């Protein structure tokens, strides 16, 4: 590695790996040098003039690989990130970084021990509207936040079981695979202290369906009598996707279906976009329109490209990661992505929610973080 040049290795060159490589490749001094993917690595290698590495070990010993982007199926992240850290590489890991708090903790410690960067791909953090809302909250416009409701529900038809994204052992199911909203809730309220979840698989029993729970409803408690509710799943014929932030002085609704965001305080209603440009905002609306009746076609697959809105936030995120590696600089608002706290905390709460569902009780998140409970 020189100050001028960072060589990136891509582990998993599918829908997101390809998009992250595109985001990084345009950064000054960034080069995509090696691709490992047990499926088709050649297409992405050709796009960037990179070489195909037939094994992960081969990619990790390569002297021209300074940093590794892990964008493989979720269940593969743990071994790959630990191996990358032991090989002395910086790591960008897609979400969910792991399928348990314990694994995430080990991965973060492995990078700390190696002195390498561990960066969690919680890309929602980079949405313009999310950042604007946080500025408004920091300026005191909502008073104290008392309650956040996050809803990410849709209908997915039958036959999705061929995708790893619909198999719980590989994806973790909706809660882990879509950890974004849980992470966003905790970025507003801090780590949850108590967790309750109900749900199950209510509408996907065909032989060719996946095995994930398609309806999950959650309640979270936070220090200081503050609360959140989350709804996730693919069993809902009335799709909803928004985060509603309620404060003692006002409220903000972040609309994820193309409607944008709204601040409401006494005497003032202000609309602001979720994304950077009108074209990105419109691509968000088109994305949801395309999935209005059946969103199963919206799962990314290795041969599809990300929509404009997603390319936009990946642009911000890859810029942030590359700048951190090359200059050591990271804005304070993104620090929880690089110190492990956002990923570790989201997975601790997800594990507590999972335990709650399994044991039909409210779970203290400390049961997970103290090591008394394991998934
Ligand atoms: N941030 C986001 O908004 C977002 C969106 C989609 C996916 N993701 C995440 O990106 C990651 C990849 O998802 P995707 O949508 O690109 O999936 P995908 O199915 O399109 O691509 C996965 C790729 O990984 C390859 N692969 C399979 N096993 C592997 C292994 N052991 N090692 C390396 N590569 C392997 C596959 O051949 C495939 O090319 C996942 O962690 C997913 O959760 C994030």
């Amino acid at each position: 590695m020189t100050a001028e040049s960072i060589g990136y290795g891509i582990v998993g060159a599918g829908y997101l790996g390809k998009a992250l490589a595109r985001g990084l490749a345009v950064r000054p001094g960034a080069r995509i040098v090696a691709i490992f993917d047990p499926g088709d690595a050649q297409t992405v290698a050709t796009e960037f003039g990179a070489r195909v590495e037939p094994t992960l070990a081969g990619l990790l010993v390569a002297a021209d690989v300074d940093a590794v982007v892990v964008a493989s199926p979720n269940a593969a992240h743990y071994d790959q990130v630990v191996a990358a850290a032991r090989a002395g590489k910086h790591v960008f890991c897609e979400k969910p970084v792991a399928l348990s708090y314990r694994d995430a903790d080990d991965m973060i410690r492995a990078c700390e021990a190696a002195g390498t960067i561990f960066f969690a791909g919680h890309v929602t953090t980079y949405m313009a509207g999310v950042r604007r809302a946080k500025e408004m909250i920091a300026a005191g416009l909502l008073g104290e936040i008392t309650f956040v409701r996050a809803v990410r529900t849709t209908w997915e038809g039958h036959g999705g079981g061929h995708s790893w994204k619909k198999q719980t052992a590989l994806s973790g199911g909706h809660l882990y695979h879509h950890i974004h909203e849980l992470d966003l809730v905790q970025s507003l309220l801090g780590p949850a202290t108590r967790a309750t979840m109900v749900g199950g698989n209510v509408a996907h029993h065909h032989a060719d369906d996946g095995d994930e729970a398609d309806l999950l409803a959650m309640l979270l408690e936070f220090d200081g009598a503050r609360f959140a509710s989350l709804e996730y799943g693919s069993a809902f014929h009335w799709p909803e996707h928004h985060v509603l932030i309620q404060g003692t002085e006002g409220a903000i609704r972040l609309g994820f279906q193309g409607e944008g965001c709204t601040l409401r305080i006494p005497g003032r209603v202000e609309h602001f976009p979720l994304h950077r440009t009108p074209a990105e905002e419109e691509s968000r609306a088109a994305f949801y329109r395309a999935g209005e009746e059946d969103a199963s076609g919206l799962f990314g697959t290795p041969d599809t490209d990300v929509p404009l809105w997603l390319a936009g936030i990946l642009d911000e995120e890859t810029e942030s990661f590359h700048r951190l590696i090359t200059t050591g600089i990271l804005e304070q608002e993104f620090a929880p992505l690089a110190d492990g706290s956002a990923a570790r905390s989201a997975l601790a709460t997800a594990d507590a929610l999972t335990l709650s569902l399994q044991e039909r009780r409210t779970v203290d998140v400390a049961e997970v973080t103290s090591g008394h409970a394991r998934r």
Side-chain angles (χ1 to χ4, degrees), residues 196-257:
T196 310
M197 179 160 79
V198 295
N201 181 5
V202 300
H204 288 83
H205 300 298
H206 291 198
D208 56 356
D209 287 340
D211 65 354
E212 65 184 351
D214 59 10
L215 184 158
L216 294 171
M218 303 156 236
L219 290 174
L220 296 176
E221 298 169 51
F222 298 80
D223 281 340
R226 297 167 308 135
F227 307 93
S229 73
L230 295 92
E231 295 162 36
Y232 278 19
S234 49
F236 298 80
H237 281 282
W238 192 300
E240 290 183 88
H241 195 177
H242 66 264
V243 173
L244 184 54
I245 307 162
Q246 304 278 6
T248 51
E249 309 290 336
I252 294 175
R253 185 183 187 281
L254 304 170
F256 286 70
Q257 289 170 298

Side-chain angles (χ1 to χ4, degrees), residues 111-370:
C111 290
E112 280 170 2
T116 60
I117 293 166
F118 173 86
F119 198 96
H122 288 192
V123 73
T124 303
T125 315
Y126 288 90
M127 286 179 182
V130 169
R131 297 177 68 185
R132 181 91 193 278
K134 286 180 180 171
E135 281 168 14
M136 290 170 162
I137 291 163
L141 292 185
L142 299 198
E144 298 299 322
I145 302 178
T146 50
F147 181 72
V148 181
R149 182 164 85 222
V151 184
R152 183 181 186 136
T153 53
T154 193
W155 171 254
E156 289 170 9
H158 301 289
H162 62 277
S163 169
W164 67 264
K165 294 180 179 178
K166 300 287 109 187
Q167 296 168 33
T168 309
L170 298 178
S171 74
H174 283 281
L175 173 58
Y176 290 80
H177 192 61
H178 302 302
I179 200 95
H180 295 297
E181 284 71 19
L182 173 55
D183 175 52
L184 176 51
V185 165
Q186 295 201 133
S187 75
L188 296 164
L189 287 167
T193 53
R194 283 161 60 79
T196 310
M197 179 160 79
V198 295
N201 181 5
V202 300
H204 288 83
H205 300 298
H206 291 198
D208 56 356
D209 287 340
D211 65 354
E212 65 184 351
D214 59 10
L215 184 158
L216 294 171
M218 303 156 236
L219 290 174
L220 296 176
E221 298 169 51
F222 298 80
D223 281 340
R226 297 167 308 135
F227 307 93
S229 73
L230 295 92
E231 295 162 36
Y232 278 19
S234 49
F236 298 80
H237 281 282
W238 192 300
E240 290 183 88
H241 195 177
H242 66 264
V243 173
L244 184 54
I245 307 162
Q246 304 278 6
T248 51
E249 309 290 336
I252 294 175
R253 185 183 187 281
L254 304 170
F256 286 70
Q257 289 170 298
E259 70 276 43
C261 311
T262 307
L263 166 76
R264 249 196 231 175
I265 53 178
R268 177 172 161 198
V269 174
E270 183 180 329
H271 297 289
F272 54 99
L274 185 62
H275 291 291
R276 302 183 301 187
T277 65
E280 287 182 8
E281 202 76 341
E282 170 50 28
S283 76
R284 168 69 80 161
F287 182 78
Y288 281 94
R289 275 198 303 274
E292 240 159 41
E293 288 188 7
D294 181 348
S296 44
L298 299 183
F299 317 142
T301 54
D303 55 345
T304 52
D305 287 334
V306 300
L308 196 61
W309 60 265
L310 184 47
I313 44 178
L314 293 174
D315 180 50
E316 303 286 335
E317 183 185 51
T318 48
E319 161 67 17
S320 199
F321 179 58
H322 184 65
R323 187 166 2 100
L324 177 61
I325 292 183
T326 50
T327 67
I329 295 168
L330 183 68
E331 291 88 343
Q332 191 54 36
E333 65 183 303
F334 305 126
L337 305 180
D339 66 12
S341 59
R344 194 161 24 201
S345 177
L347 286 163
T349 303
D351 285 2
L353 287 161
T354 302
L355 192 59
S356 164
L357 180 69
Q358 287 165 350
E359 298 189 356
R360 296 182 166 273
R361 66 182 176 91
T362 295
V363 171
D364 285 337
V365 179
E367 285 184 50
V368 173
T369 53
S370 66

Side-chain angles (χ1 to χ4, degrees), residues 11-17 36-40 70-74 76-77 80 94-96 121 123 164-165 177 180 300-302 310 314:
V11 176
Y15 179 66
L16 240 281
F36 167 66
D37 189 313
D40 174 18
V70 175
S72 51
N74 306 339
H77 294 177
Q80 295 176 334
E94 258 310 324
K95 61 79 217 164
V123 73
W164 67 264
K165 294 180 179 178
H177 192 61
H180 295 297
T301 54
L310 184 47
L314 293 174

